[in-house]
Amino acid sequence: MPADLKQPLLTARQQLTSLIRQIKEEGQQENLLPTLETVLTELDNMARHDHLTGALNRRTLISVLESELARSLRTGHTFSFAVISVDALEQILEQHGQAAARQVLRRLADEAGRRLRTLDAFGRVAANEFAIVMPGTWLVASLKAIARLQAGLRQADWSPIAPALSITFCSGVTTNAQGDSAEGMLQRALDALQQARASGPGSVASSEPPLPGFDTAAPE
């Protein structure tokens, strides 16, 4: 179990154990209910969020994506989905250590929380990959949102983590289509991310979904 998660879980377990003991020894105690509800809320929060960065975890982010697809099916609205990856994180890990790499990921999540809209969902979906669900956002607008986040990282002071450190990221962006699935959108965004990485640090690539009923293999 990661060290970042072990202590909060241990604290919650101790609190629950104490509450259960009090209930057994003293009978029903209504005054314990607020504390119990607080502990359960903390456990629910830990179950939904990434232990390292505080962003949504993969399971929760995919659930949000599935919900947005279902809403799109009902309303016909368009939304965007992006995957981002910190450039040269492996080199940061080798040169500055694991603590520095973790701080970079945390800082990226913090910057995303400040610069994205409150209705956007930001989560960590892999060791060095984050994803963003952007409701009601066409591709052009989502690319502008990614550019704002990139600009924020360029302006940020990373020197407390390591001298002369600068951080960029690559991103793959896509929009939803009729009959789309969460797995399909995620794969499309990951494919676009690979294209962006091939273009160099700080690059962004987009992948539009195929048009309904359009056969790309059909002769002209």
Side-chain angles (χ1 to χ4, degrees):
M1 181 183 297
D4 305 77
L5 184 59
K6 187 180 297 183
Q7 186 57 47
L9 283 176
L10 179 60
T11 300
R13 180 182 179 86
Q14 290 171 342
Q15 290 176 316
L16 284 174
T17 300
S18 176
L19 289 170
I20 291 170
R21 185 177 63 252
Q22 291 180 57
I23 292 172
K24 285 181 177 180
E25 293 175 353
E26 304 171 18
Q28 185 174 359
Q29 299 286 327
E30 292 186 358
N31 62 312
L32 298 179
L33 289 178
T35 304
L36 181 58
E37 290 172 349
T38 299
V39 173
L40 291 175
T41 299
E42 292 173 354
L43 288 172
D44 179 65
N45 185 63
M46 284 188 282
R48 289 174 48 82
H49 292 81
D50 174 57
H51 69 276
L52 176 63
T53 64
L56 297 176
N57 59 29
R58 180 187 176 93
R59 181 179 60 183
T60 305
L61 194 284
I62 296 300
S63 177
V64 172
L65 177 57
E66 290 172 342
S67 296
E68 196 61 27
L69 281 167
R71 191 166 76 93
S72 174
L73 186 62
R74 295 192 305 270
T75 64
H77 81 284
T78 295
F79 71 94
S80 294
F81 180 70
V83 176
I84 68 177
S85 176
V86 176
D87 295 322
L89 187 65
E90 295 80 5
Q91 287 88 328
I92 294 172
L93 180 62
E94 292 174 1
Q95 295 176 13
H96 305 292
Q98 187 178 68
R102 288 184 171 190
Q103 289 181 64
V104 166
L105 295 176
R106 290 192 189 102
R107 180 71 180 275
L108 171 59
D110 289 344
E111 290 291 333
R114 282 193 290 268
R115 297 180 183 277
L116 295 173
R117 303 172 302 174
T118 55
L119 72 160
D120 296 330
F122 182 83
R124 188 183 181 200
V125 295
N128 183 24
E129 289 172 0
F130 295 86
I132 313 169
V133 179
M134 293 177 273
T137 305
W138 292 84
L139 183 61
V140 172
S142 64
L143 292 175
K144 290 180 179 179
I146 294 297
R148 286 195 298 271
L149 181 55
Q150 287 181 319
L153 293 189
R154 287 194 299 269
Q155 296 166 6
D157 179 15
W158 298 91
S159 60
I161 299 177
L165 181 65
S166 61
I167 298 298
T168 60
F169 66 79
C170 286
S171 180
V173 189
T174 190
T175 54
N176 66 304
Q178 184 177 4
D180 234 336
S181 66
E183 293 79 6
M185 289 196 74
L186 177 58
Q187 188 57 56
R188 221 164 39 241
L190 287 172
D191 290 344
L193 175 61
Q194 287 300 107
Q195 296 175 24
R197 284 171 170 163
S199 298
S203 298
V204 179
S206 60
S207 176
E208 291 275 27
L211 295 174
F214 181 73
D215 184 0
T216 56
E220 297 182 358

